[in-house]
Amino acid sequence: SSRRRHTRYWRDWSSDVCSSDLGVFALSPALDTAGPMARDARDCGLLLQAIAGHDAADPASANAPVADYCAALDGDLRGLRIGVIRHFFENDSPAHPDSAAALEQALDVFKALGAQIETVSLAPMIEYGDVRVLIQEAEAFAIHHAGLRADASRFGQDFLGRVLPGCLVPAYAQSQAHRKRRLLIDQMRAVLQRCDALVTTGPGPAPRFDAPRTHGFLYGLWSDRPNLLAPFSVTGFPTLSVCSGFAANGLPCSLQIVGRPWEDAGVLRIGEAFQTVTDWHTRRPPPPAAGIGPVTLAEPEAPEPVDAQTVTWVDACLAHAELRLTDAQRSWVLQAAPRVKRMIARLGSLDDRSVEPAAVFRLD
């Protein structure tokens, strides 16, 4: 692709909204960022070098200088301050023991490379999760509304179970979510004034490709369990996921490295230094045992009871959106409805009118 852009940052940093006729189609323009994927940090830096930069055809790309991402990959972390967000994986969303152990070993590697490690605290992870879902799924529903209204059956079951409940998110909740997002961005940015980077676990161990339950299956995305990726989708700060080890079942675990706005090079520097003295990124999971037959999708967890008032509310939202759903499709929205209500209730209202939505930014 000839399109060149920076990673998205909100507030003083521009967003990266990909056009459907020129590149990646965003599911949530406010949150989605198309970034490089590669086996190691150095290759990610090379790919980012190719795609970063201003694109006149993209009204949301940033007209800012492009760093030399690979020049900073010197393997030296001496004096670097790394904050560990322990409550994310110890309390808010307890990580798998193998994943937590892999992170502790990775922190020892960072120390050996000269980094200073300290524990930091941010807002509870569930706050990031609620903001992310209420923004993301409302936008995803809006983007696909025309197709869903014409014939929802053209979409897959997993997609429908994830996106259809987006019609339940009212405008006031979306606006409050964007305002709460502003506060979460400010808080993380303040912590990054005293730390050069943040580290926490990633999801893991990785599920098998043929796992019967995947992220977003039916109403799984609308779960009350916080998502380890949500904080950095919400803030938009540069984040790198690297393999931190392997669990006892032979599947990889990961850690996340988060940097300040526009400091992608610093994030890549930490990841590359870790990979210089470890070989986790070069290993492969073992092949699945021979003779395993096709996997049948498991039934979703038992739905919560839905009262008559909630049923009436859901049907009114579906009618307002002009959706003609099958009984099964309608049931997926009903299953998510209690969780949507809880997210909106947890979000609450911000009485401080000076807190502008995160979608409000400055044009210099």
Side-chain angles (χ1 to χ4, degrees):
S1 171
S2 61
R3 292 173 64 75
R4 300 171 61 81
R5 57 175 65 85
H6 268 298
T7 306
R8 174 191 297 110
Y9 307 105
W10 279 96
R11 194 173 182 180
D12 297 339
W13 323 292
S14 189
S15 67
D16 173 20
V17 181
C18 301
S19 173
S20 60
D21 60 342
L22 293 175
V24 178
F25 189 93
L27 183 67
S28 171
L31 298 177
D32 286 353
T33 300
M37 296 179 67
R39 182 160 291 280
D40 58 57
R42 182 171 292 275
D43 283 352
C44 280
L46 292 171
L47 288 169
L48 185 59
Q49 201 72 54
I51 66 175
H54 180 58
D55 181 359
D58 183 350
S61 71
N63 191 1
V66 177
D68 186 341
Y69 298 111
C70 290
L73 306 183
D74 56 11
D76 185 4
L77 302 187
R78 285 176 294 181
L80 207 66
R81 297 163 299 170
I82 297 178
V84 185
I85 319 170
R86 289 192 171 276
H87 66 89
F88 275 8
F89 60 90
E90 291 183 346
N91 302 317
D92 299 355
S93 183
H96 187 283
D98 292 348
S99 182
L103 178 63
E104 296 300 333
Q105 294 174 4
L107 294 177
D108 289 338
V109 172
F110 293 144
K111 290 178 184 177
L113 291 170
Q116 302 171 20
I117 307 297
E118 65 177 271
T119 298
V120 300
S121 295
L122 295 170
M125 193 185 301
I126 198 167
E127 294 187 16
Y128 295 93
D130 291 345
V131 167
R132 173 196 173 214
V133 173
L134 291 173
I135 293 174
Q136 175 180 283
E137 298 312 308
E139 290 189 344
F141 177 80
I143 288 173
H144 293 282
H145 179 223
L148 293 167
R149 182 175 55 186
D151 182 7
S153 298
R154 293 186 302 171
F155 296 86
Q157 178 179 346
D158 189 79
F159 177 87
L160 291 175
R162 169 177 176 165
V163 172
L164 282 176
C167 75
L168 304 179
V169 182
Y172 73 83
Q174 296 174 53
S175 180
Q176 292 289 2
H178 277 290
R179 296 175 74 211
K180 182 60 174 290
R181 184 186 185 197
R182 168 82 67 175
L183 297 178
L184 294 172
I185 289 172
D186 288 349
Q187 183 195 51
M188 189 176 293
R189 194 179 188 186
V191 171
L192 281 165
Q193 293 303 308
R194 70 173 191 267
C195 295
D196 298 294
L198 304 176
V199 168
T200 189
T201 58
R208 283 172 52 103
F209 183 75
D210 56 2
R213 298 291 298 277
T214 59
H215 174 72
F217 180 69
L218 289 186
Y219 54 91
L221 182 82
W222 298 90
S223 171
D224 292 308
R225 179 181 172 84
N227 184 295
L228 285 161
L229 303 176
F232 315 114
S233 295
V234 167
T235 60
F237 293 177
T239 306
L240 176 69
S241 293
V242 299
C243 182
S244 56
F246 281 74
N249 64 0
L251 293 171
C253 302
S254 66
L255 63 86
Q256 299 179 90
I257 305 167
V258 187
R260 298 168 181 149
W262 302 114
E263 294 189 8
D264 308 65
V267 172
L268 292 167
R269 173 189 172 195
I270 297 172
E272 194 268 346
F274 176 76
Q275 292 175 335
T276 297
V277 296
T278 62
D279 65 352
W280 298 118
H281 62 291
T282 67
R283 302 190 188 186
R284 305 291 198 279
I292 295 179
V295 175
T296 303
L297 285 179
E299 290 297 320
E301 60 191 86
E304 296 181 43
V306 181
D307 58 34
Q309 184 181 21
T310 300
V311 173
T312 300
W313 169 59
V314 167
D315 286 339
C317 291
L318 295 175
H320 183 71
E322 300 180 336
L323 295 176
R324 297 179 296 275
L325 304 181
T326 66
D327 289 343
Q329 292 165 353
R330 174 177 172 270
S331 73
W332 302 334
V333 184
L334 287 170
Q335 289 169 17
R339 303 171 187 226
V340 177
K341 283 189 171 183
R342 286 198 292 273
M343 287 185 178
I344 295 173
R346 285 194 298 260
L347 183 65
S349 297
L350 296 175
D351 296 329
D352 185 353
R353 296 186 181 182
S354 68
V355 180
E356 295 181 324
V360 176
F361 56 92
R362 184 179 67 213
L363 294 175
D364 291 323

